Amino acid sequence: MIEIKNVSKWYGPFQVLTDCTTSIRKGEVVVVCGPSGSGKSTLIKTVNALEPIQAGDIVVDGTSLTDPKTNLPKLRSRVGMVFQHFELFPHLSVTDNLTLAQIKVLGRSKDDAKARGLKMLDRVGLMAHKDKFPGQLSGGQQQRVAIARALSMDPIVMLFDEPTSALDPEMVGEVLDVMVQLANEGMTMMCVTHEMGFARKVSNRVIFMDAGKIIEDCTKDEFFNNPEARSPRAKDFLNKILQH
Ligand SMILES: Nc1ncnc2c1ncn2[C@@H]1O[C@H](COP(=O)(O)OP(=O)(O)OP(=O)(O)O)[C@@H](O)[C@H]1O
Ligand SMILES: [Mg+2]
């Protein structure tokens, strides 16, 4: 579903990604972790071409992002993305947040968009809040609306960038529950997260990045259960985050 091939990227003179190669099959859940500044957000943003790359190629569902003939807005509309800060429109109701892109980007009728949006809202357990505004919801609820909004677009893959790291601790679980459910239903997912409980429970693979490079790309079992085989940097990282 996603092929990342020898991707390098620079911000001016600073090389943020160095020769990154990996691929994600349909239905696979891949967790990306690593220290702050290692390039995780940048890598995930390159997958829907929010950040251009200067070398290599990325192919999503058979379509190359670097091919000038590719219709990037169209491709992006099929790649769901959920960020750390739930970017809902504050001046629109939950229902309008769920339907806007379906109508504007996918050309769905208002009724179809509403039906689809509310179905997804129900799926994340928030039907009772359909007429509220984002400011009237908790952080965890807003993040679940953001997930429902992405799902309303019928994505072929979902990208998550630390979706729980800005939440109060008691709200992390409700967002992770929705993500676990999605994973179990077979959604293809690439998730930047340090929620190692989530990684252990549902991921198929773990990618560990350091200084713009993919240092580890292995199965969940290899990553968590065979620490001796890991690179010193990954071992050090695991020790730190698993201590708490
Ligand atoms: N727009 C930008 N211009 C210049 N440098 C940038 C830009 N965005 C990110 N960087 C730099 O690129 C590096 C990687 O950033 P990135 O946000 O991808 O890291 P990250 O692994 O997601 O970190 P964190 O865990 O803190 O979110 C950092 O050194 C950062 O300062
Ligand atoms: Mg980041």
Side-chain angles (χ1 to χ4, degrees), residues 1-2 7 55 109 113 124 133 149 154 168 177 217 234:
M1 189 60 87
I2 302 174
V7 165
S109 72
V124 301
F133 286 83
R149 181 175 62 177
D154 301 327
D168 287 342
D177 284 347
D217 184 350

Side-chain angles (χ1 to χ4, degrees), residues 73-93:
K74 183 165 171 228
L75 189 86
R76 261 184 217 126
S77 72
R78 308 296 313 284
V79 177
M81 177 121 198
V82 177
F83 298 91
Q84 180 172 1
H85 295 284
F86 11 93
E87 275 134 39
L88 299 174
F89 297 112
H91 59 292
L92 295 182
S93 70

Side-chain angles (χ1 to χ4, degrees), residues 23-30 186-190 204-205:
S23 59
I24 300 180
R25 288 191 305 275
K26 195 169 190 296
E28 221 177 5
V29 177
V30 174
M187 177 63 80
T188 309
M189 295 164 64
M190 182 171 180
N204 301 105
R205 283 198 351 257

Side-chain angles (χ1 to χ4, degrees), residues 194-238:
H194 291 149
E195 294 292 342
M196 290 298 129
F198 172 81
R200 277 178 194 263
K201 203 189 240 173
V202 296
S203 77
N204 301 105
R205 283 198 351 257
V206 178
I207 288 175
F208 175 79
M209 292 186 71
D210 190 28
K213 292 193 184 127
I214 293 178
I215 305 282
E216 303 275 357
D217 184 350
C218 57
T219 67
K220 162 179 74 177
D221 288 339
E222 281 176 281
F223 191 75
F224 290 112
N225 300 338
N226 192 7
E228 286 320 303
R230 305 279 65 79
S231 66
R233 193 67 195 84
K235 250 190 262 184
D236 184 44
F237 177 81
L238 267 172

Side-chain angles (χ1 to χ4, degrees), residues 9-12 14-17 33-45 51 84 161-162 192 194 209 212:
K9 174 178 176 65
W10 287 260
Y11 285 121
F14 174 66
Q15 185 161 11
V16 58
L17 296 176
C33 61
S36 181
S38 56
K40 306 178 297 293
S41 296
T42 306
L43 182 70
I44 206 163
K45 280 188 214 152
E51 289 285 358
Q84 180 172 1
D161 189 1
E162 302 206 43
V192 177
H194 291 149
M209 292 186 71

Side-chain angles (χ1 to χ4, degrees), residues 48-59:
N48 66 354
L50 282 179
E51 289 285 358
I53 56 176
Q54 282 83 41
D57 194 14
I58 298 179
V59 179

